[in-house]
């Protein structure tokens, strides 16, 4: 049985699939709630990249100081690449969740999280595109291999080059989320809530059906459950980030300066960005995200399994890359609804 979830298997649908349902569940909500939900949606997946900038943009001097202390690493970015107008694309990866979901992982262990945060040129809408880490692609200097191997072979610079060659658009910046410190973030905000459809357990922690309130240790167990596939744990990482941002957004945790300091300090310990990604640029990206009024979608590049290997569906993936270049991710998601990234597995 393949580790790749069925939502990424377009077999039988083909490239001739017509437009998806005309009614979007989100579109049926009141306009005000929709706009709020869309902003939150994009921030959840951009998570720590924009959250810190959003708070720093609030005018707190010490928060700006904290934002300025974000760890930065040298990453080779293609300055000659096409910008496609004023659009911005940030490549985000994860760190600290091993391939077997072990509770204790090597310091340099990749989490499998590979996603693209894209804000359209006009700042009206955007999207988040996940690339399954086991997808076989051409990695410069290493032939065809799993895309996550680009990080192992040449770090973020090689992964960026690989993604740019694959998609034919420029990556503007890079960010990495270190999940070994997620317990500190969760504890700083007195826990977060996640919802599970079925009872399950991980590292001795039992999760019940429905809403579960997680402390820091439980959050780690949730994100690293060994019985899940690597793709399942990636979805758990994304779900946990949504829970963090949801609590910050709805509970107004950052209105208390002391709480804000604790949360921001914990968040910053999780974040690393490229050395060219300045604090002012992070703040600018945050402001764009907060001002979004158009649609925001999460999609996952479609794949199929052949001879035990995971391959991108080239025909549909080409249309996905074109949709990013053309600022039309939402239209792509409606046309190919099976690519829409689902909620985290149980």
């Amino acid at each position: 049985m393949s580790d790749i979830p069925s939502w990424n298997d377009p077999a039988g649908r083909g490239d001739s699939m017509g437009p998806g349902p005309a009614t979007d569940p989100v579109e049926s909500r009141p306009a005000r709630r929709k706009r709020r939900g869309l902003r939150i949606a994009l921030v959840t997946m951009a998570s720590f990249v924009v959250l810190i900038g959003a708070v720093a943009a609030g005018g707190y001097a010490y928060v700006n100081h904290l934002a300025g202390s974000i760890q930065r690493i040298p990453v080779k970015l293609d300055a000659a690449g096409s910008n496609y107008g004023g659009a911005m694309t940030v490549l985000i990866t994860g760190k600290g969740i091993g391939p077997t979901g072990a509770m204790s992982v090597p310091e340099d262990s990749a989490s499998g999280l590979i996603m693209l945060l894209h804000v359209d040129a006009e700042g009206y809408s955007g999207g988040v595109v996940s690339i399954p880490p086991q997808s076989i692609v051409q990695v410069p200097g290493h032939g065809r291999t799993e895309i996550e191997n680009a990080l192992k072979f040449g770090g973020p610079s090689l992964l960026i080059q690989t993604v740019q060659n694959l998609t034919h658009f420029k990556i503007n910046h890079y960010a990495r989320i270190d999940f070994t410190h997620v317990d500190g973030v969760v504890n700083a905000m007195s826990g977060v809530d996640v919802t599970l459809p079925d009872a399950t357990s991980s590292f001795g922690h039992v999760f019940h059906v429905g809403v579960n309130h997680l402390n820091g240790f439980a959050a780690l167990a949730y994100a690293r459950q060994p019985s899940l596939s690597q793709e399942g744990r990636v979805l758990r990482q994304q779900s946990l980030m949504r829970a963090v941002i949801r609590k910050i957004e709805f509970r107004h945790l950052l209105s208390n300066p002391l709480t804000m300091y604790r949360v921001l300090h914990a968040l910053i310990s999780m974040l690393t960005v490229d050395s060219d990604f300045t604090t002012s640029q992070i703040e600018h990206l945050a402001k764009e995200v907060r001002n979004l009024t158009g649609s925001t979608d999460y999609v996952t590049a479609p794949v199929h399994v052949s001879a035990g290997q995971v391959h991108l569906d080239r025909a549909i993936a080409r249309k996905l890359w074109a949709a990013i270049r053309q600022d039309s991710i939402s239209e792509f998601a409606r046309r190919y609804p099976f690519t829409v990234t689902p909620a985290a597995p149980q």
Side-chain angles (χ1 to χ4, degrees), residues 18-82:
T23 301
D24 187 332
V26 174
E27 292 177 354
S28 64
R29 301 175 183 175
R32 182 177 179 182
R33 185 175 179 182
K34 174 185 174 183
R35 289 194 297 269
R36 178 183 176 86
L38 291 172
R39 290 196 301 271
I40 294 171
L42 188 53
V43 172
T44 59
M45 301 305 290
S47 59
F48 303 132
V49 180
V50 298
L51 175 62
I52 294 171
V55 179
Y60 296 95
Y62 68 90
V63 176
N64 278 278
H65 173 72
L66 278 179
S69 67
I70 296 172
Q71 182 179 352
R72 288 172 167 82
I73 58 174
V75 176
K76 185 177 180 182
L77 297 166
D78 185 7
S82 174

Side-chain angles (χ1 to χ4, degrees), residues 209-257:
V209 176
V211 177
N212 290 254
H213 186 73
L214 309 184
N215 61 16
F217 176 82
L220 284 174
Y222 171 81
R224 295 175 175 172
Q225 185 169 328
S227 62
L228 296 176
S229 66
Q230 182 182 31
E231 285 69 31
R233 285 190 292 274
V234 167
L235 286 176
R236 284 283 181 88
Q237 295 168 45
Q238 296 178 359
S239 175
L240 189 56
M241 294 307 97
R242 295 186 193 194
V244 168
I245 307 303
R246 186 164 56 245
K247 183 166 184 179
I248 289 174
E249 179 74 15
F250 288 107
R251 302 290 182 84
H252 305 291
L253 287 179
L254 300 184
S255 62
N256 181 311

Side-chain angles (χ1 to χ4, degrees), residues 139-255:
V139 175
H142 299 276
R144 292 185 60 78
T145 183
E146 296 178 356
I147 191 170
E148 65 180 349
N149 286 336
L151 273 175
K152 302 175 185 177
F153 297 149
S157 296
L158 183 58
L159 179 61
I160 287 172
Q161 183 182 1
T162 300
V163 173
Q164 289 185 153
N165 289 351
L166 176 69
T167 62
H168 302 292
F169 59 76
K170 177 182 176 181
I171 303 299
N172 300 99
H173 288 292
Y174 170 79
R176 182 178 65 208
I177 301 170
D178 186 349
F179 286 91
T180 61
H181 297 296
V182 71
D183 55 335
V185 174
V186 172
N187 284 333
M189 57 180 58
S190 300
V192 297
D193 294 334
V194 298
T195 302
L196 291 169
D198 296 289
T200 186
S201 63
S202 175
F203 297 104
H205 187 89
V206 177
F207 302 96
H208 58 261
V209 176
V211 177
N212 290 254
H213 186 73
L214 309 184
N215 61 16
F217 176 82
L220 284 174
Y222 171 81
R224 295 175 175 172
Q225 185 169 328
S227 62
L228 296 176
S229 66
Q230 182 182 31
E231 285 69 31
R233 285 190 292 274
V234 167
L235 286 176
R236 284 283 181 88
Q237 295 168 45
Q238 296 178 359
S239 175
L240 189 56
M241 294 307 97
R242 295 186 193 194
V244 168
I245 307 303
R246 186 164 56 245
K247 183 166 184 179
I248 289 174
E249 179 74 15
F250 288 107
R251 302 290 182 84
H252 305 291
L253 287 179
L254 300 184
S255 62

Side-chain angles (χ1 to χ4, degrees), residues 244-273:
V244 168
I245 307 303
R246 186 164 56 245
K247 183 166 184 179
I248 289 174
E249 179 74 15
F250 288 107
R251 302 290 182 84
H252 305 291
L253 287 179
L254 300 184
S255 62
N256 181 311
L258 181 59
T259 302
M260 178 169 61
Y261 180 87
R262 289 201 304 265
V263 173
L264 263 295
H265 191 275
L267 287 172
I268 286 171
S269 72
M270 293 186 67
L271 183 65
T272 298
V273 299

Side-chain angles (χ1 to χ4, degrees), residues 31-32 34-43 46 50-51 53-55 57 117-126 249 281-296:
R32 182 177 179 182
K34 174 185 174 183
R35 289 194 297 269
R36 178 183 176 86
L38 291 172
R39 290 196 301 271
I40 294 171
L42 188 53
V43 172
V50 298
L51 175 62
V55 179
L117 161 67
H118 180 79
V119 177
D120 293 354
E122 296 181 355
Y124 172 72
S125 58
E249 179 74 15
Q281 288 176 324
I282 295 176
E283 291 176 8
H284 176 72
L285 176 60
K287 289 176 181 177
E288 284 192 322
V289 169
R290 288 189 303 178
N291 292 332
L292 289 177
T293 57
S295 60
T296 303

